[in-house]
């Protein structure tokens, strides 16, 4: 059975430069990008889902909500580990949106916990956190680990907050508790510094070597990685619906223009670092 595949939704990755096969699905890209009605999500899953292996490379972080579909295919109880500059825990509609990945994953009976590492944007702090899934956090089913280096001291005491000086110690403790646990690992490249990944969103603070180290900790923890994915590479946005386009425009940060070929070169270097440890 094929263990890894590139699902081409948006031409974010140059298929000829990848070490595994590509499944063409660009007709699905515009309807699913950023948000989609449930009927389209389910139609996509019926058509594409049976063809997908445990490890996937796919396009922009605008499609990160699809990770909940990849996890749906896992039948054993698991912990979802996410490296992301955004918590993706927004409880507001639309239901299927890249900002709501965590909530769709937590609805699955096999997902026992979600833990998100490396959030650097405003959503983890007042007042943005009002729209997050704090109920799941209080219940212990969701752990958010946002960067707090430049936050007030009161914010640095937030449960899960991490600092550059000691985040590896926290991650080591987390990994030690995973022995015998099944994992699904998703990496959104926007968790990386801007010089190491070009994305459609704000950049995070991890170096690629940081996430490489974290994957090494997971691999050595005695846990079993059942599957995983990498998304978040830049692609020019294309949408199928006017409302979808407007909502995406309002939610996205206003970033400098990106050149697709230059972005691909940068992102391929990150992929070469991370993929062997994710799917190896």
């Amino acid at each position: 059975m094929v263990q890894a595949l590139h699902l081409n939704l948006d031409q974010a990755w140059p298929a000829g430069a990848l070490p595994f096969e590509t499944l063409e699905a660009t007709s699905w890209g515009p309807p699913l990008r950023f948000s989609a009605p449930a009927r389209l999500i389910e139609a996509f899953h019926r058509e594409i889902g049976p063809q997908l292996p445990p490890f996937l490379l796919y396009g922009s972080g605008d499609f990160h909500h699809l990770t909940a579909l990849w996890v749906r295919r896992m039948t054993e109880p698991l912990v979802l580990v996410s490296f992301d500059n955004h918590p993706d825990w927004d409880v507001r509609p639309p239901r299927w949106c890249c900002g709501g990945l965590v909530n769709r994953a937590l609805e699955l009976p096999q997902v026992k916990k979600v833990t998100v590492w490396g959030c650097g944007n405003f959503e983890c702090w007042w007042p943005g956190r009002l729209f997050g899934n704090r109920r799941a956090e209080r219940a212990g089913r969701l752990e958010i680990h946002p960067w707090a280096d430049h936050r007030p001291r009161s914010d640095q005491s937030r449960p899960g907050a991490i600092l550059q000086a000691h985040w590896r110690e926290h991650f080591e403790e987390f990994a030690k508790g995973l022995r015998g646990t099944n994992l699904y690992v998703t990496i959104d490249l926007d968790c990386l510094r801007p010089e190491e990944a070009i994305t459609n969103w704000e950049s995070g603070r991890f170096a690629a070597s940081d996430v490489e180290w974290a994957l090494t900790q997971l691999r050595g923890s005695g846990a079993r990685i059942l599957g995983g994915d990498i998304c978040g590479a830049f692609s020019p946005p294309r949408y199928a619906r006017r409302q979808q386009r407007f909502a995406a425009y309002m939610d996205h940060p206003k970033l400098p223009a990106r050149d697709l070929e230059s972005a691909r070169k940068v992102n391929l270097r990150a992929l070469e670092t991370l993929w062997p440890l994710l799917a190896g």
Side-chain angles (χ1 to χ4, degrees):
M1 178 182 174
V2 174
Q3 289 294 301
L5 187 72
H6 166 223
L7 179 63
N8 184 20
L9 294 166
D10 59 348
Q11 308 290 351
W13 299 95
L18 300 174
F20 36 76
E21 293 184 4
T22 293
L23 175 62
E24 293 295 339
T26 50
S27 64
W28 281 105
L32 297 178
R33 191 170 190 130
F34 182 75
S35 67
R39 60 177 177 78
L40 277 179
I41 292 288
E42 298 304 329
F44 167 75
H45 188 57
R46 287 193 299 270
E47 178 180 321
I48 300 296
Q51 305 177 61
L52 301 180
F55 295 94
L56 284 173
L57 174 70
Y58 65 112
S60 167
D62 288 353
F63 298 99
H64 205 184
H65 46 300
L66 300 182
T67 286
L69 295 180
W70 319 151
V71 176
R72 186 193 290 184
R73 298 172 302 123
M74 306 293 153
T75 58
E76 300 179 54
L78 59 85
V79 172
L80 172 60
V81 181
S82 177
F83 298 92
D84 199 328
N85 192 43
H86 304 81
D88 288 351
W89 65 338
D90 199 312
V91 298
R92 294 172 294 178
R95 189 169 183 274
W96 281 95
C97 180
C98 57
L101 159 64
V102 161
N103 303 323
R104 303 292 75 78
L106 286 170
E107 291 170 351
L108 301 172
Q110 63 268 44
V111 175
K112 302 308 175 184
K113 179 181 282 191
V114 177
T115 177
V116 186
W117 292 81
C119 303
N121 81 326
F122 65 91
E123 294 172 80
C124 297
W125 313 105
W126 178 269
R129 65 185 178 89
L130 291 174
F131 303 112
N133 193 344
R134 293 179 294 156
R135 177 179 297 180
E137 197 175 23
R138 289 192 297 267
R141 294 195 64 213
L142 172 61
E143 295 178 355
I144 303 290
H145 297 277
W147 295 113
D149 294 83
H150 304 299
R151 305 295 305 183
R153 188 173 297 274
S154 59
D155 285 348
Q156 293 182 6
S157 63
R158 179 205 194 279
I162 54 175
L163 303 176
Q164 287 284 352
H166 64 49
W167 79 267
R168 289 196 178 197
E169 297 173 22
H170 286 273
F171 196 89
E172 283 179 335
E173 286 301 310
F174 163 69
K176 286 177 183 177
L178 293 175
R179 178 169 296 277
T181 301
N182 296 317
L183 304 178
Y184 185 96
V185 181
T186 180
I187 302 171
D188 189 327
L189 292 181
D190 71 13
C191 75
L192 300 180
R193 300 169 183 171
E195 63 269 25
E196 299 205 48
I198 308 300
T199 80
N200 291 92
W201 294 88
E202 309 98 328
S203 296
R205 302 180 190 176
F206 279 132
S209 59
D210 289 329
V211 181
E212 179 185 31
W213 172 88
L215 292 173
T216 301
Q217 299 303 305
L218 296 179
R219 285 287 179 189
S221 68
R224 177 179 169 221
I225 299 181
L226 300 180
D229 64 62
I230 293 179
C231 69
F234 170 78
S235 67
R238 296 184 176 89
Y239 306 101
R241 300 175 302 281
R242 185 177 303 172
Q243 185 178 12
Q244 171 198 25
R245 182 184 298 107
F246 176 75
Y249 173 80
M250 294 300 294
D251 201 36
H252 276 80
K254 304 305 180 277
L255 301 173
R258 266 76 157 109
D259 174 72
L260 180 59
E261 292 307 315
S262 299
R264 283 174 165 180
K265 291 177 182 178
V266 173
N267 292 333
L268 279 170
R269 289 196 292 270
L271 183 69
E272 290 169 358
T273 298
L274 301 177
W275 189 260
L277 278 167
L278 176 65

